[in-house]
Amino acid sequence: MVKKYNNYEKSYSKVYDLITSHKNYADEVNSLLSFLHPHLSKKKIVNIGCGTGNHDIIISNSGFRVFGIDNSPDMLKVANSKKIIDVCEFGSNFNQALKFFGDNKFSCVISLFNCVNCLLDEISLTKFIKEIHSHLDRKGCFFFEAWNGEECITNPPKIVSRVYKSNNYKITRVATPKIFYDKKELEIEYNISGYIQKSEFNFISVHKIKLFTPEIILSILKDVGFSDIKIFSALPELIPIDKKKLNGNRMLAFYATYK
């Protein structure tokens, strides 16, 4: 029997590291740290939507203290199994991060892998960005990745099938996207099956994504009080993009500083 889950529950978190192994986390972190260098004098980074902590561990191994935040207890359980005491910690809210750093404000907040698109309306996105702005110091910055809603609607993503295998496991992941044009939402159904050390599984994990346009994101950032707002291609490339020529890039990176 195929089990069906929503978002990032237990079964998905157990295979997450394996089904994202095609991502080059090290390259992404190196590119990110080089770009954010002017804001990293305190050597402290908050990562929102940290998942199982792969970016965070690499960042901490580069000489930084990192606090990863996620709202999935199952993903945090995996992340906490990797944490490095006093250097890399994980939790579910800003208060825990402030306590970890012993500061009143953050100098650098990041959110990678399009986590902001899990916020399913503009009100939620605005509230999220306002909260980050309220926790930044006067020289702080916010860096995040997001889907390009316009590009996804014009050129919808297609079904992608990947197979991951080694001596101990074989996993097949089929990602089937479905766009709801009236709501400007994307639903991705991940059908995941296979085995890990002879333990078989077969389940479906459904992820809902809001397709915010770049214009909406830029408008919210400006209205909240951010300045020096720039757009780039997603990690690790980070190629500057003209705000008037955004199509052609399904994933974008946004950078803004406290005003």
Side-chain angles (χ1 to χ4, degrees), residues 9-254:
E9 298 186 32
K10 189 173 182 179
S11 294
Y12 190 79
S13 66
K14 283 186 175 181
V15 300
Y16 181 81
D17 285 351
L18 296 178
I19 64 175
T20 60
S21 60
H22 60 282
K23 283 174 61 67
N24 193 323
Y25 286 97
D27 274 1
E28 291 188 1
V29 168
N30 289 336
S31 178
L32 177 68
L33 295 181
S34 295
F35 176 77
L36 294 177
H37 179 71
H39 298 279
L40 299 178
S41 59
K42 290 186 178 180
K43 297 283 186 176
K44 300 173 183 178
I45 296 176
V46 178
N47 181 19
I48 302 174
C50 64
T52 59
N54 292 320
H55 286 107
D56 310 77
I57 296 300
I58 298 172
I59 291 172
S60 66
N61 285 333
S62 300
F64 296 85
R65 296 186 76 206
V66 188
F67 193 93
I69 296 175
D70 205 281
N71 62 7
S72 168
D74 295 309
M75 299 291 269
L76 282 177
K77 184 176 181 180
V78 177
N80 276 310
S81 70
K82 308 173 185 177
K83 71 180 183 181
I84 306 169
I85 301 299
D86 295 329
V87 178
C88 183
E89 282 280 356
F90 300 95
S92 59
N93 58 66
F94 283 115
N95 288 335
Q96 293 171 323
L98 289 167
K99 184 177 180 180
F100 173 69
F101 291 126
D103 283 343
N104 294 320
K105 296 285 185 180
F106 304 127
S107 59
C108 182
V109 175
I110 64 174
S111 183
L112 309 179
F113 215 4
N114 317 303
C115 292
V116 299
N117 295 100
C118 294
L119 302 166
L120 296 181
D121 54 57
E122 291 179 35
I123 294 174
S124 298
L125 180 61
T126 301
K127 182 179 178 181
F128 172 72
I129 293 176
K130 278 184 176 179
E131 187 171 14
I132 290 169
H133 187 268
S134 71
H135 282 93
L136 284 175
D137 63 31
R138 294 286 175 178
K139 297 181 180 179
C141 74
F142 179 33
F143 177 98
F144 63 98
E145 294 180 304
W147 288 74
N148 180 351
E150 289 183 359
E151 179 66 19
C152 290
I153 290 172
T154 303
N155 297 300
K158 303 183 186 307
I159 296 175
V160 176
S161 179
R162 284 193 171 100
V163 177
Y164 307 85
K165 59 183 178 180
S166 75
N167 293 333
N168 298 320
Y169 65 84
K170 181 178 180 181
I171 302 173
T172 299
R173 189 205 75 173
V174 181
T176 304
K178 180 180 180 181
I179 287 188
F180 298 87
Y181 292 96
D182 56 334
K183 297 180 181 179
K184 292 186 178 179
E185 290 182 2
L186 173 65
E187 185 177 277
I188 303 179
E189 181 179 281
Y190 293 97
N191 194 320
I192 300 171
S193 60
Y195 65 86
I196 299 176
Q197 295 180 343
K198 299 182 180 181
S199 177
E200 296 185 359
F201 51 84
N202 187 356
F203 66 92
I204 292 172
S205 184
V206 180
H207 299 194
K208 291 185 178 181
I209 293 167
K210 183 67 175 180
L211 297 174
F212 299 110
T213 65
E215 287 76 15
I216 286 174
I217 294 174
L218 291 172
S219 177
I220 293 174
L221 286 168
K222 184 177 179 181
D223 290 345
V224 166
F226 280 99
S227 63
D228 192 27
I229 303 168
K230 298 176 182 177
I231 305 178
F232 301 84
S233 58
L235 289 168
E237 289 82 9
L238 289 186
I239 299 170
I241 297 176
D242 188 325
K243 295 176 184 177
K244 297 179 181 179
K245 300 177 181 179
L246 293 170
N247 288 343
N249 294 273
R250 185 167 289 154
M251 306 294 180
L252 299 172
F254 293 81

